[in-house]
Amino acid sequence: MRRLKLATACQTEYHCNTHLPMWMDGTHPAAPGAVVTNKVCAIDMTGQDCCSYQSTVREVEPPVFHTRRQQPASHRDVTCDINFDHARRDVGFDVKFLFDGKPDRNVPPVHITDGVTRHADLDQNLLKGHMGQNVSCAVRTFFLTPPKPGTHFNSPYIPSNGYWVGIKIDTNRLIVGENEKPKTVSIYSTVPIRCPPPHDKTCNLEIELDPVNNNGQLTLVKDCNVHFTPAMWDPQTHRATTTFQVSATRDGKADKDKDIFLHFNPIFTADASPIFNNYQVPFMQILAKDKNTSSCWCTGDPHCNTLDTTLTKKGSYFDYYLIGEFTMYKSTTRDFQVQVRTWTCNGKVSCNCAVAMKEGNDVVSFPSGAQIKVTNNRGIALDVYITAPEDDFSGTQVFQPQLLANFPSVNGKSRAEAEKACNSAIDNNPTLQQCIAKAGLDFSNEKDICVEDFKYFDNGELVRSALHTAIFKCTDHVLRNVSLYDVNGNPPVYVTSELCPDYDCNDNGACVNGTCICNHGFVGDTCEINSQKAPLLYGVLSTAYIGKSVLCDVRERECVTSYVHGDNIYDNSRLSCRVRVMETVVGFNISVTNDGHTYSNDITAVRTDSKCANCLKSGTSCTVKSGTCLIEGNCRTSGEVNANNRNQQCDPTHSQTAWTNIQPGTPGESHPVTTPPTAPQGGTYFKRFDIWTFSQSGCQCAHNHALYTCACCDVGGCQCQAPNSNQCVKCGDTKSCGHPLAAPDNGVDGYTTAINDCECKFDRSQSNCGCCREGMGACQCGRTHRNQCVACDHMDQCGNKPWIFGPPMA
């Protein structure tokens, strides 16, 4: 700011609206702090004498002031420098700090009276509430010793330059194209990041992108936050600088260039200094430039539309009938490609049977925004649809056409018959008719493709493929062209809410307002389930599924759950599975039912342990290594004791697939344990000393292996220590020792509370099955042993207590 000075030439009467303006006869001091004494004059009323009135004035050249950033060695961060003659010791200074030119009553002024100090510091903590403002100072001088006793002279306050404090982005406008690599943006703070010890080196200030205000048009490449740390401060530039990357969202739409704004949420930090709290970084304007994209597809046997195909041009597709593996799509600008494998279908043409895709090392989701859709056309062929990202505009390669046969078809049908079926499917579809009327599309290509397929599949199996291709073309074109959206920016309902999930409800129903109304005998969101047929299971997903193995190796996973895959499986409240234990190996025959009555075919799952077993992939048999046991699918070493029954051990000389009861150590000594006779059909409430105790004596004692006078335990039970060694409890529940739970007052056994009082899991319409004890991990055994419950992870124990539950039931 320019300082006003006293005139040094004669001034006329009433100059500056003053009757007798004063002027100084002499020169002003040349350097800050210099002093001169001059005569001051005023003109007389006649206007003739310029120095009619006289006096003497003593003038001091004032200092120059400016604010600067101090080194971050303390909390004092903003300094007001006073450029005044250091030889003068008779002058003091009053300093007040201003924020956007205004004082803050919470920031006290600085009064300098030592005659030496030439600066004033502002503590960083006093910047609270002033982030985003210019900080400056205003200084006035005064004589420490008045020139005359009893007088006090102060100069006017003179303001300094300003220093902006806050955080901002280093550019006001950025241009990002949808097909461009991410742009790097620098953001800097003019205030260092400081935190109290011991976090002064590790703390950070986090700023979050506001996801609401960018309308989904921008993407931060790594995360939605920007971080500042103390180490980022540069004392030379007086800035802490960091960067983030921004890319335009690849929306696949032709929606023109868009001016959008990158917003940040107000800052709240409990880590860095509280002066940043509630401060909002100024937004940044970004132009997101639209870029063309397109779609291509190969469907049926197969017919291909390329990326540059005109959607309204008849005949803009080609046929491809070679057998083998081919690159369907390849970018010439980056590492992205889609490969297809074709095989012979119907003995005449080729069909897609497999698809592989990659972008760099990614084979699932694609960073470029490329989209791949693959549908199984009733087991005949795969239909492959590719939406190209903006990167690949004018930069792709595709395979070349191969042409083949003509009419009549393989079964003698004419072109007219084919045209009738194909025209009917496409002309009667309401979605396609809307696309013709409102989007101007033409589906002659899809009709021609459908007719071409009739040469080899004249039963109409690939009519749906042509129909789905037409609907994909329709929806893809409409959704990418926002000019077809309504005034509120919403796409047309005929390609959204009115479109059914499978377009034509699998030919098993009618699409009404976006919902499939299924014909009688069909259910599911797309009427894909035939409720009158049983599910069809293909196999079990196992750790060694490749090679059609049914084995589950406990060395690779727990093998407590089997995952099956198949067809015609309906997710409803009666969906259930049936498990039947195999006799030769630790395996299960699994089937599935949609209604609780009609079951699918059986598939096999076998639990094995590769440490000691070598099983056939079919699971029909296993060979166990010498000196080991394969019990319940797990390898056991010779002499290893059953953790659930201390009276049993692995004894390969007796059995390599089951636990062997431990025999007395003294030759000839016998400790017989009598097994009760089999109960009648349906079971009986057998009276016992305890629900976990099979016999109160006759088994080896856990506390003294020389004795065989202790309790024998049910599966899942463990022997108590003396003096309660005639009792068993659930393994791990030692606090129950000495408190036997008599049967049947406390249940039938450790897992079953009642024989026939509960709903059957295999058929919820029946209520004559066993009741399982809650909190024990117990499961019903199924139809054959419906009155018994066992541990869910030991279903092979079903039927192991015929003296209680009786023989198997039909």
Side-chain angles (χ1 to χ4, degrees):
M1 180 180 290
R2 186 171 63 87
R3 184 174 67 86
L4 298 179
K5 294 184 178 183
L6 193 63
T8 56
C10 182
Q11 303 296 306
T12 60
E13 188 179 10
Y14 293 109
H15 181 71
C16 295
N17 298 317
T18 302
H19 182 205
L20 297 175
M22 304 294 292
W23 62 281
M24 185 175 69
D25 186 7
T27 59
H28 295 289
V35 180
V36 296
T37 302
N38 288 313
K39 180 174 64 175
V40 291
C41 304
I43 196 169
D44 65 0
M45 292 186 179
T46 66
Q48 301 299 319
D49 186 356
C50 278
C51 204
S52 175
Y53 302 96
Q54 300 180 13
S55 184
T56 300
V57 64
R58 186 169 180 262
E59 182 184 13
V60 179
E61 177 64 18
V64 178
F65 314 111
H66 68 273
T67 51
R68 64 180 173 87
R69 167 57 46 75
Q70 222 184 27
Q71 298 300 323
S74 68
H75 280 293
R76 296 184 174 185
D77 191 60
V78 178
T79 297
C80 179
D81 284 331
I82 305 170
N83 186 9
F84 193 82
D85 185 1
H86 285 274
R88 294 286 303 277
R89 302 298 177 90
D90 60 337
V91 179
F93 308 94
D94 287 326
V95 183
K96 59 182 179 181
F97 285 93
L98 306 177
F99 305 92
D100 282 346
K102 299 178 182 179
D104 183 347
R105 63 182 181 180
N106 295 317
V107 179
V110 179
H111 192 58
I112 302 174
T113 59
D114 62 2
V116 177
T117 302
R118 295 293 188 266
H119 67 271
D121 298 322
L122 177 66
D123 192 296
Q124 188 191 79
N125 291 329
L126 295 176
L127 293 175
K128 187 175 182 180
H130 297 298
M131 299 299 289
Q133 297 179 355
N134 276 295
V135 180
S136 62
C137 63
V139 184
R140 70 182 180 184
T141 60
F142 59 89
F143 288 105
L144 296 175
T145 302
K148 295 181 181 180
T151 62
H152 185 76
F153 298 97
N154 293 324
S155 72
Y157 276 102
I158 299 176
S160 72
N161 66 313
Y163 183 88
W164 188 83
V165 293
I167 301 173
K168 64 170 59 174
I169 297 173
D170 66 355
T171 182
N172 294 325
R173 181 176 171 85
L174 183 71
I175 300 177
V176 183
E178 290 182 349
N179 65 322
E180 293 179 339
K181 293 182 179 179
K183 294 289 184 71
T184 299
V185 179
S186 292
I187 182 172
Y188 65 89
S189 170
T190 63
V191 179
I193 311 303
R194 300 205 185 116
C195 309
H199 307 295
D200 50 339
K201 302 296 184 184
T202 59
C203 70
N204 75 92
L205 176 67
E206 182 179 86
I207 306 174
E208 182 182 18
L209 173 73
D210 184 351
V212 176
N213 293 327
N214 68 32
N215 297 319
Q217 301 296 334
L218 288 179
T219 302
L220 286 184
V221 175
K222 291 186 177 179
D223 56 36
C224 293
N225 300 284
V226 180
H227 299 267
F228 284 99
T229 65
M232 293 178 179
W233 181 255
D234 185 344
Q236 302 300 319
T237 62
H238 298 293
R239 289 183 177 183
T241 305
T242 186
T243 61
F244 61 92
Q245 290 186 315
V246 176
S247 62
T249 301
R250 301 178 178 199
D251 54 12
K253 299 176 182 177
D255 49 2
K256 301 181 180 180
D257 298 345
K258 295 174 287 295
D259 268 313
I260 50 185
F261 298 92
L262 178 63
H263 291 259
F264 290 89
N265 282 328
I267 296 173
F268 175 78
T269 178
D271 199 5
S273 172
I275 64 172
F276 295 99
N277 283 337
N278 296 317
Y279 175 62
Q280 189 161 18
V281 177
F283 65 79
M284 176 184 183
Q285 187 176 9
I286 297 178
L287 176 64
K289 294 187 70 65
D290 192 34
K291 188 66 176 178
N292 288 334
T293 183
S294 186
S295 297
C296 64
W297 52 84
C298 287
T299 61
D301 54 349
H303 312 283
C304 303
N305 277 55
T306 61
L307 294 169
D308 56 356
T309 294
T310 303
L311 296 178
T312 57
K313 180 181 178 182
K314 178 177 172 61
S316 53
Y317 72 92
F318 63 82
D319 305 305
Y320 196 80
Y321 295 132
L322 294 180
I323 306 299
E325 295 181 357
F326 306 95
T327 298
M328 175 180 170
Y329 179 109
K330 182 178 181 180
S331 172
T332 59
T333 61
R334 59 196 178 86
D335 186 14
F336 176 74
Q337 60 179 296
V338 178
Q339 296 180 351
V340 295
R341 177 183 295 170
T342 59
W343 62 2
T344 300
C345 53
N346 204 30
K348 298 288 185 179
V349 293
S350 65
C351 292
N352 295 325
C353 63
V355 183
M357 58 211 79
K358 70 182 287 286
E359 179 168 339
N361 293 322
D362 199 331
V363 295
V364 180
S365 61
F366 306 118
S368 65
Q371 299 178 27
I372 315 294
K373 178 183 178 183
V374 181
T375 61
N376 189 335
N377 194 1
R378 295 187 173 180
I380 301 173
L382 298 180
D383 294 341
V384 184
Y385 305 88
I386 303 173
T387 299
E390 291 80 355
D391 301 61
D392 293 347
F393 187 73
S394 301
T396 58
Q397 296 175 347
V398 297
F399 50 34
Q400 299 300 313
Q402 300 287 328
L403 302 178
L404 219 69
N406 209 333
F407 281 99
S409 69
V410 292
N411 292 315
K413 290 189 177 181
S414 66
R415 175 178 289 274
E417 292 176 287
E419 290 176 345
K420 180 179 179 180
C422 295
N423 291 343
S424 175
I426 292 177
D427 291 343
N428 293 330
N429 185 274
T431 299
L432 299 182
Q433 295 313 302
Q434 293 270 36
C435 280
I436 293 172
K438 297 181 179 180
L441 296 184
D442 181 273
F443 298 104
S444 299
N445 285 346
E446 286 63 42
K447 291 180 180 179
D448 290 345
I449 289 172
C450 180
V451 171
E452 179 70 19
D453 287 338
F454 248 77
K455 297 176 184 178
Y456 314 100
F457 300 92
D458 54 13
N459 58 357
E461 288 177 329
L462 292 186
V463 171
R464 289 185 71 243
S465 174
L467 176 63
H468 284 201
T469 301
I471 294 177
F472 173 82
K473 180 170 80 172
C474 165
T475 56
D476 179 71
H477 175 76
V478 171
L479 292 176
R480 285 193 291 108
N481 287 274
V482 296
S483 60
L484 299 172
Y485 289 20
D486 63 22
V487 294
N488 296 318
N490 299 314
V493 295
Y494 63 86
V495 294
T496 54
S497 60
E498 291 182 356
L499 194 64
C500 281
D502 196 56
Y503 304 150
D504 61 351
C505 304
N506 281 283
D507 283 342
N508 299 322
C511 180
V512 179
N513 295 325
T515 301
C516 284
I517 307 300
C518 300
N519 299 334
H520 176 72
F522 293 91
V523 293
D525 292 339
T526 61
C527 306
E528 74 279 15
I529 305 298
N530 186 335
S531 61
Q532 298 176 332
K533 290 185 178 181
L536 174 64
L537 297 186
Y538 301 140
V540 60
L541 299 177
S542 68
T543 55
Y545 179 68
I546 298 176
K548 299 183 179 180
S549 171
V550 301
L551 306 179
C552 183
D553 190 346
V554 296
R555 296 292 157 180
E556 299 182 24
R557 68 180 181 92
E558 289 186 284
C559 300
V560 296
T561 303
S562 291
Y563 299 93
V564 302
H565 64 118
D567 198 4
N568 206 50
I569 300 174
Y570 182 39
D571 186 8
N572 72 102
S573 60
R574 292 189 293 177
L575 176 65
S576 57
C577 62
R578 179 176 63 191
V579 179
R580 290 181 288 189
V581 180
M582 299 173 63
E583 296 181 359
T584 56
V585 293
V586 182
F588 311 91
N589 286 322
I590 304 171
S591 58
V592 175
T593 178
N594 288 326
D595 57 11
H597 298 287
T598 306
Y599 282 84
S600 70
N601 56 303
D602 282 335
I603 59 171
T604 300
V606 173
R607 174 180 171 142
T608 185
D609 188 336
S610 59
K611 181 180 178 180
C612 68
N614 183 17
C615 298
L616 297 178
K617 290 182 178 181
S618 62
T620 53
S621 65
C622 295
T623 302
V624 184
K625 293 180 181 179
S626 176
T628 63
C629 302
L630 179 64
I631 303 175
E632 299 170 358
N634 294 91
C635 288
R636 309 292 180 180
T637 58
S638 179
E640 184 176 344
V641 177
N642 184 357
N644 295 321
N645 188 341
R646 304 296 297 180
N647 307 308
Q648 297 177 328
Q649 66 179 3
C650 163
D651 185 354
T653 61
H654 286 77
S655 174
Q656 286 189 288
T657 58
W659 294 109
T660 302
N661 288 330
I662 299 176
Q663 298 300 317
T666 304
E669 187 177 1
S670 177
H671 302 275
V673 177
T674 304
T675 300
T678 299
Q681 186 79 42
T684 183
Y685 285 96
F686 193 74
K687 290 185 178 182
R688 293 198 292 164
F689 162 73
D690 179 83
I691 59 174
W692 293 104
T693 309
F694 172 69
S695 172
Q696 290 183 263
S697 64
C699 285
Q700 188 180 42
C701 297
H703 66 281
N704 187 345
H705 290 182
L707 300 177
Y708 284 79
T709 58
C710 295
C712 299
C713 304
D714 282 353
V715 173
C718 287
Q719 201 180 90
C720 292
Q721 295 290 329
N724 301 303
S725 54
N726 66 331
Q727 179 192 351
C728 299
V729 296
K730 177 175 172 54
C731 292
D733 185 23
T734 56
K735 65 179 182 299
S736 295
C737 289
H739 305 283
L741 299 173
D745 297 341
N746 293 284
V748 181
D749 66 1
Y751 295 105
T752 313
T753 58
I755 290 178
N756 55 7
D757 295 337
C758 286
E759 179 185 87
C760 298
K761 298 299 182 183
F762 64 86
D763 184 353
R764 297 185 184 276
S765 65
Q766 299 184 37
S767 299
N768 59 346
C769 289
C771 300
C772 299
R773 194 178 300 275
E774 295 183 359
M776 301 298 294
C779 291
Q780 284 182 0
C781 281
R783 188 183 301 273
T784 305
H785 300 285
R786 69 189 67 179
N787 58 350
Q788 183 182 2
C789 298
V790 296
C792 294
D793 56 351
H794 284 282
M795 298 299 291
D796 55 312
Q797 299 295 328
C798 290
N800 67 344
K801 298 177 184 176
W803 59 90
I804 296 177
F805 300 102
M809 290 177 279

